[in-house]
Every structure is written in structure tokens, then in C-alpha cells.
Amino acid sequence: MTVAGTVIFVWCLLPVFTGKILNIGNATGMAAGVVMLLTGIRPGWTGHLPVALGVGIKVLVALICALVVTESALMVRACMRKPGEDDTLVVLGCTVYGETPSRMLYERIHAAEDYLRTHPQAKAVLSGGQGKEEKISEAGAMYRTMVDDGIDASRLFMEARSTSTRENLDFSLQVIREHQLNEHIAIATNEFHMYRAGVIAEKLGLSYAAVPAHTSWWLFATFYIRELYGILHEWTQ
């Protein structure tokens, strides 16, 4: 327990130093790591609590574990939805630093490029607006990178207004219909994000497949935990 707590704490702390990333994901992970570490140092500490409180804590932990397992299974299943030959690829935006795509946006770009190279009939909608500290839109950053990497610009359509996953998909659907593209879509996003994106797509009446991007190990825990909250929020909408 001590070793596991230390590993989780350090794993969630890494993005703070490597990318100045601090969000509800790594904050939760670090808190959980500290609790596990203290539990390892002082096992049986719940025995000193009132019986009802101790039982309540154990039940809460069991419910949280069951929820995490359920959400994780849904994430895995969503990533297994194979695309067709000419599905319209919708690439979901992510942070841009100035004019440079973030690590996770590069991961989505590379997954999208692989799909487009192996599916020569497919076209793509690049979706993402411009944040306060971004000099260009996320769609623009993706377009520039993909054209520089040899993707034919005529296959790329930009949606540069969205500020959330729901808007990514909603506004991309408008672009798809405007240009009469295939409404069966393949979503390119990081693997942990695929399930929630798919839920939103289905609420919009879209049938979707998955083009999951591999997340760097040092970022995965932080954004995976944050996504657990995101799925809960989507379930309540």
C-alpha cells in the first residue's frame, strides 16, 4: 500500500512539473496517493474511528472502486468500435500553446493522420476554437500540422468555434451536413476520452467509430482520473 500510494502520488505530480498541469484529475490522484501512503504506514487506522463511520468509509471506497471499474470498462469498449473505409473523421481539439499543439493534441493529430493515410477516401473535420492564451484556433493548428505532414488540404475541413466536446461534435455535424459528408463518423481523440465523446455523439443522433490516440504515460493518470468526473457529469445531463 505504501509503494502503491507513492507511485500514484508521483505519477500524478509529474504533469505539474513537466507541463504546469494541475487539474481535478491529478489533485484527486495525489490525494488518493497520500491516503494510501498513510494507510500503508498505519494499517488499521479506521479501527480507531466510530464503528458507523468506519463502515461508511469502507462502503464509500467500495462504491468508488465499482464506479471506476465500470467507467474504465466503458472506455475500453468504446475504443474498440472499428471505423469503416470512408467514415468522416472528426478530430477533437485540445490545448494549443501559442501556435504549437500540446502533446495530447499531437497525439490526436498523429492518430488522425494514420487513419487518413490508410483510408484514402475519407475526409476529416478538424474541430476546436481559439482559447484565451492560444494565438490560433485548435482547428487551425491541426490543419497546419497535417498539411505540413503531407495530408491533402482538400480532405480537411475546419470547425473553429467550439469550446467543449459537445460543441466539437455539434458544430462538426453542421460542417458535415454543409459539405454533404458521410454522417457516420470516426472520432479521433485520446483513448480515455472516447467513451464520453461517443455518448455525446449518440445524443446528437450520430453513429460513431473510434480512432483512439495513445496518451503519453506521464499524462495518462491525470487525464484519466479527470475523465472519470467528466463521465459522471455527462451521465447527469
Side-chain angles (χ1 to χ4, degrees):
M1 185 69 76
T2 303
V3 173
T6 302
V7 169
I8 291 173
F9 180 82
V10 173
W11 193 4
C12 292
L13 183 64
L14 277 174
V16 177
F17 291 102
T18 57
K20 297 182 180 179
I21 298 169
L22 180 61
N23 57 41
I24 194 172
N26 52 356
T28 299
M30 286 186 285
V34 169
V35 171
M36 293 172 67
L37 179 61
L38 294 176
T39 300
I41 294 172
R42 294 195 62 184
W45 61 271
T46 56
H48 301 290
L49 298 173
V51 174
L53 181 57
V55 170
I57 290 173
K58 291 176 182 177
V59 169
L60 178 61
V61 169
L63 290 173
I64 290 172
C65 290
L67 183 62
V68 169
V69 169
T70 299
E71 291 188 40
S72 299
L74 291 170
M75 290 179 190
V76 171
R77 189 173 71 173
C79 289
M80 296 173 67
R81 300 175 66 133
K82 300 298 183 183
E85 287 301 314
D86 63 347
D87 288 357
T88 299
L89 184 65
V90 176
V91 191
L92 304 187
C94 194
T95 305
V96 171
Y97 296 113
E99 298 184 7
T100 304
S102 62
R103 181 63 174 266
M104 284 205 301
L105 187 53
Y106 268 125
E107 291 162 353
R108 298 178 188 189
I109 290 169
H110 293 155
E113 290 175 343
D114 288 344
Y115 174 82
L116 291 172
R117 289 185 180 117
T118 56
H119 298 77
Q121 302 305 314
K123 294 180 171 59
V125 178
L126 314 179
S127 179
Q130 182 175 346
K132 291 181 179 180
E133 297 183 6
E134 297 174 341
K135 293 183 179 179
I136 59 174
S137 69
E138 294 163 11
M142 288 190 278
Y143 181 91
R144 178 184 298 177
T145 302
M146 294 173 73
V147 170
D148 286 348
D149 289 345
I151 302 298
D152 186 346
S154 67
R155 302 174 68 191
L156 306 177
F157 298 83
M158 287 198 295
E159 179 289 297
R161 297 183 293 137
S162 55
T163 60
S164 67
T165 301
R166 183 173 297 278
E167 289 184 353
N168 283 149
L169 292 160
D170 190 7
F171 297 164
S172 292
L173 177 57
Q174 295 175 27
V175 173
I176 288 169
R177 289 175 173 169
E178 177 184 352
H179 294 278
Q180 299 182 327
L181 306 177
N182 186 355
E183 289 193 24
H184 190 285
I185 66 169
I187 300 173
T189 190
N190 293 77
E191 63 277 269
F192 60 82
H193 188 221
M194 189 64 68
Y195 169 70
R196 182 162 62 93
V199 169
I200 295 170
E202 289 179 337
K203 288 180 179 179
L204 293 170
L206 288 165
S207 178
Y208 81 97
V211 178
H214 176 70
T215 307
S216 301
W217 69 269
W218 56 276
L219 289 172
F220 182 82
T222 290
F223 288 95
Y224 161 75
I225 296 170
R226 188 181 75 166
E227 187 64 15
L228 296 174
Y229 288 102
I231 291 171
L232 280 177
H233 176 73
E234 189 58 40
W235 283 349
T236 63
Q237 299 303 298

